[in-house]
Amino acid sequence: MNISKCTLPAILAVFFCMNAVAQQPSGADDRAFWVETLVKIADPVLTNLSNNTLRKNMPYESLTPERSDFAHLEAVGRLLCGISPWLELGPDATPEGRLRKKYIDLTVKGLANAVDPSSPDYLVFGKPYQPLVDAAFLAQGLLRARTQVWENLDKQAQERMITELKRSRGIKPWENNWLLFASMVEAALLEFTGECDMQRLTYGVYKFRDEWYKGDALYGNGPAFHMDYYNSFVIHPMLTDVLGVMKKHGIEGNEFYDTQVKRLARYADILERFISPEGTFPVVGRSIVYRFGAMHALGQAALMQILPEHIVPAQVRCAMTAVIRNQMKSADNFDAGGWLRVGFAGKQIGMSETYINTGSTYLCAMGLVELGLPADNEFWSAPYAGWTSKKAWNGEEVQIDHAIK
């Protein structure tokens, strides 16, 4: 059979297109990779904390020695904040479900050690200033895994945890995203005890609502706007979760929750568009060594199932899988003991600020919150889907972008 020169390119194009689609990993493949990544990140922290050896064995890497007292709480609080939605799915008979049981048990045992004053791994909650930050991340994680973590702590461990969270009240937050750390701690105390410091709970919420909103889902980090990922690391996720608790308990000001959810969805839209066709995102702003934790807000919107209608969940899965693969492919992300190194896509301590250390880097786990969606959810079960920038650069139609009022 003769094939004309004009038809051969078309036939080859179809062949290669079909072959490329056939080679795309399934949602189950993607989930397995995410779980593998989560375990690789989490295991050294949780295993050592459960054995009372976190302080003994966790290395300290930083541009300054001044944060060594706080590094362990940083690792624990940030890690739990990211993996708690996955833990909250609970154990089951599947291999992944059995793996969850293992890490639920390690987490519960480890947190009991963390708040036991006689424990070698008793963590620092009340010394200014850093512990306020990570008490808040820990509190957010406990709220996200109330059934599997908080309710599995025995009564003594719960009481001690409440004592330690309250200890952070002695730290006055700065007039920026730190206000939400105070709010987050109080939201957890309200949820777990029925009481809170109402001033600390609501002050930050009102500041962001009334003074620091800049437009199109972007908040200032205080009065000024900073071009970084703090809207994703902290502001949108914590503001949303604090307001959710306020709404549940009927606290004045909770009516702002619905507006905030719309803003979170819009900001998730922006973040999804930031992910390039190759699975990278702009290296901009401080704390960039938190790696794919920069996509925390995108993950929370997916987890809450509030993504804009023009974004199918699978395209977020595929985009984030590409990002995580790009950042985790270097063996230099971990030291010989399996601990995270300071860096963006490897060992790159020169990209960090002086307040960052080994423990800080575990904020990357917040980029894995979508694992809280069960395996049969559309996010994981739907076939491969291209994301916005990939489709746009391939000449495909994409939804027109526009700001929200």
Side-chain angles (χ1 to χ4, degrees):
M1 179 177 66
N2 292 326
I3 300 177
S4 69
K5 292 182 179 180
C6 63
T7 59
L8 182 58
I11 292 173
L12 289 174
V14 171
F15 171 78
F16 285 119
C17 181
M18 292 176 63
N19 191 47
V21 172
Q23 291 178 352
Q24 295 294 350
S26 67
D29 294 332
D30 288 344
R31 186 177 179 91
F33 166 69
W34 284 48
V35 171
E36 178 186 357
T37 302
L38 181 151
V39 168
K40 190 171 184 179
I41 292 168
D43 190 78
V45 176
L46 296 180
T47 297
N48 278 280
L49 186 65
S50 69
N51 290 332
N52 262 323
T53 55
L54 183 66
R55 284 186 171 276
K56 176 183 176 182
N57 292 334
M58 191 178 94
Y60 181 79
E61 180 184 29
S62 179
L63 295 173
T64 175
E66 297 172 2
R67 301 277 177 151
S68 58
D69 284 351
F70 315 129
H72 310 92
L73 179 60
E74 288 188 63
V76 173
R78 295 166 190 229
L79 177 66
L80 181 62
C81 187
I83 71 171
S84 54
W86 180 68
L87 298 178
E88 188 68 353
L89 291 177
D92 59 44
T94 66
E96 184 187 320
R98 291 193 292 271
L99 195 64
R100 276 198 301 273
K101 184 180 189 313
K102 172 185 174 180
Y103 286 101
I104 290 167
D105 292 345
L106 289 177
T107 301
V108 170
K109 184 179 179 183
L111 289 180
N113 292 338
V115 295
D116 178 357
S118 67
S119 163
D121 276 345
Y122 179 52
L123 300 183
V124 178
F125 280 82
K127 182 178 178 181
Y129 287 92
Q130 185 63 35
L132 174 59
V133 176
D134 297 293
F137 284 132
L138 178 56
Q140 190 172 22
L142 290 170
L143 285 171
R144 288 173 167 177
R146 174 165 188 155
T147 301
Q148 298 300 329
V149 176
W150 175 255
E151 293 180 6
N152 277 319
L153 290 170
D154 63 34
K155 185 175 181 181
Q156 183 183 55
Q158 287 183 346
E159 290 175 351
R160 286 173 168 172
M161 181 64 74
I162 294 300
T163 296
E164 297 304 326
L165 291 178
K166 287 182 176 179
R167 203 181 301 279
S168 72
R169 287 174 169 171
I171 304 171
K172 183 178 179 179
W174 311 111
E175 290 283 314
N176 53 27
N177 72 96
W178 277 54
L179 294 178
L180 293 177
F181 298 139
S183 295
M184 192 78 252
V185 170
E186 296 304 322
L189 291 171
L190 176 61
E191 181 68 10
F192 298 144
T193 71
E195 299 177 346
C196 71
D197 181 327
M198 198 63 65
Q199 165 77 6
R200 283 175 75 91
L201 175 71
T202 61
Y203 179 72
V205 172
Y206 296 159
K207 279 287 186 177
F208 280 93
R209 182 192 68 182
D210 300 335
E211 298 182 30
W212 295 343
Y213 184 61
K214 305 303 179 183
D216 200 18
L218 296 173
Y219 290 98
N221 191 359
F225 176 75
H226 298 174
M227 187 59 244
D228 55 31
Y229 290 99
Y230 270 79
N231 268 272
S232 188
F233 293 141
V234 176
I235 297 169
H236 275 287
M238 284 203 174
L239 190 54
T240 302
D241 285 354
V242 169
L243 282 161
V245 173
M246 289 174 60
K247 184 174 183 178
K248 178 180 177 180
H249 291 267
I251 304 299
E252 184 179 354
N254 77 83
E255 64 278 358
F256 179 55
Y257 176 80
D258 292 340
T259 297
Q260 169 53 27
V261 167
K262 292 176 183 177
R263 291 177 180 177
L264 171 59
R266 168 57 183 161
Y267 186 63
D269 193 353
I270 293 170
L271 287 176
E272 193 270 347
R273 287 172 178 265
F274 276 9
I275 300 175
S276 76
E278 299 79 21
T280 62
F281 59 88
V283 185
V284 62
R286 64 194 184 96
S287 303
I288 197 64
V289 295
Y290 295 161
R291 296 182 171 92
F292 44 88
M295 297 293 144
H296 186 194
L298 174 59
Q300 176 149 356
L303 180 65
M304 294 174 65
Q305 301 185 79
I306 59 166
L307 291 168
E309 290 183 2
H310 59 271
I311 296 180
V312 297
Q315 75 188 70
V316 176
R317 179 195 86 225
C318 296
M320 280 302 303
T321 299
V323 168
I324 297 167
R325 286 193 183 279
N326 276 329
Q327 290 198 295
M328 289 287 103
K329 65 186 177 184
S330 171
D332 289 338
N333 283 295
F334 300 91
D335 70 9
W339 300 92
L340 278 171
R341 304 298 302 267
V342 178
F344 179 73
K347 176 187 174 184
Q348 299 154 294
I349 196 167
M351 297 180 71
S352 72
E353 289 76 17
T354 55
Y355 56 79
I356 287 174
N357 61 72
T358 301
S360 314
T361 64
Y362 285 87
L363 195 147
C364 70
M366 297 180 199
L368 302 172
V369 294
E370 296 97 317
L371 279 170
L373 295 166
D376 60 359
N377 183 273
E378 177 188 3
F379 184 92
W380 300 106
S381 63
Y384 177 90
W387 50 98
T388 300
S389 66
K390 187 166 188 175
K391 291 188 289 186
W393 284 100
N394 282 339
E396 302 173 44
E397 288 284 356
V398 298
Q399 173 74 30
I400 189 172
D401 189 38
H402 57 83
I404 60 169
K405 295 181 180 179

